[in-house]
Amino acid sequence: MEKLIEALKRVNPDIDYANEKHLFSGKVIDSIDMTSILAELEDTFDIEIDMEYVSPEYFDTVEGMWDMIQELSD
């Protein structure tokens, strides 16, 4: 999960990804951040994220993102 947080920090180092629980639904990450996060995660983890995954379930917390990455890596 450390690799995930490092990737997110490359997009926006001012966000406390490890402790924030409403990144997506609380609009902590905006649409520009979201576009950059999607690209960064796809490049870092060699995955393809379909738009069906762009939801609070997967993007409100780093744990949700990690679960998504694990699911897409299988």
Side-chain angles (χ1 to χ4, degrees):
M1 187 153 352
E2 188 173 319
K3 185 177 178 182
L4 169 58
I5 292 174
E6 288 172 8
L8 293 169
K9 289 285 187 187
R10 286 193 291 272
V11 173
N12 188 333
D14 297 328
I15 297 173
D16 183 5
Y17 294 99
N19 294 306
E20 181 61 54
K21 300 301 178 200
H22 301 285
L23 290 165
F24 187 81
S25 64
K27 299 184 181 172
V28 175
I29 50 178
D30 61 23
S31 60
I32 294 170
D33 284 338
M34 191 64 190
T35 301
S36 299
I37 287 170
L38 290 169
E40 186 68 36
L41 295 182
E42 287 181 337
D43 290 346
T44 300
F45 295 98
D46 193 29
I47 57 175
E48 186 173 322
I49 303 170
D50 295 326
M51 291 309 294
E52 69 188 69
Y53 285 97
V54 180
S55 70
E57 176 184 358
Y58 295 107
F59 283 94
D60 260 354
T61 65
V62 290
E63 292 83 7
M65 287 184 236
W66 186 250
D67 289 346
M68 175 194 65
I69 291 165
Q70 298 305 304
E71 185 176 319
L72 294 173
S73 296
D74 291 340

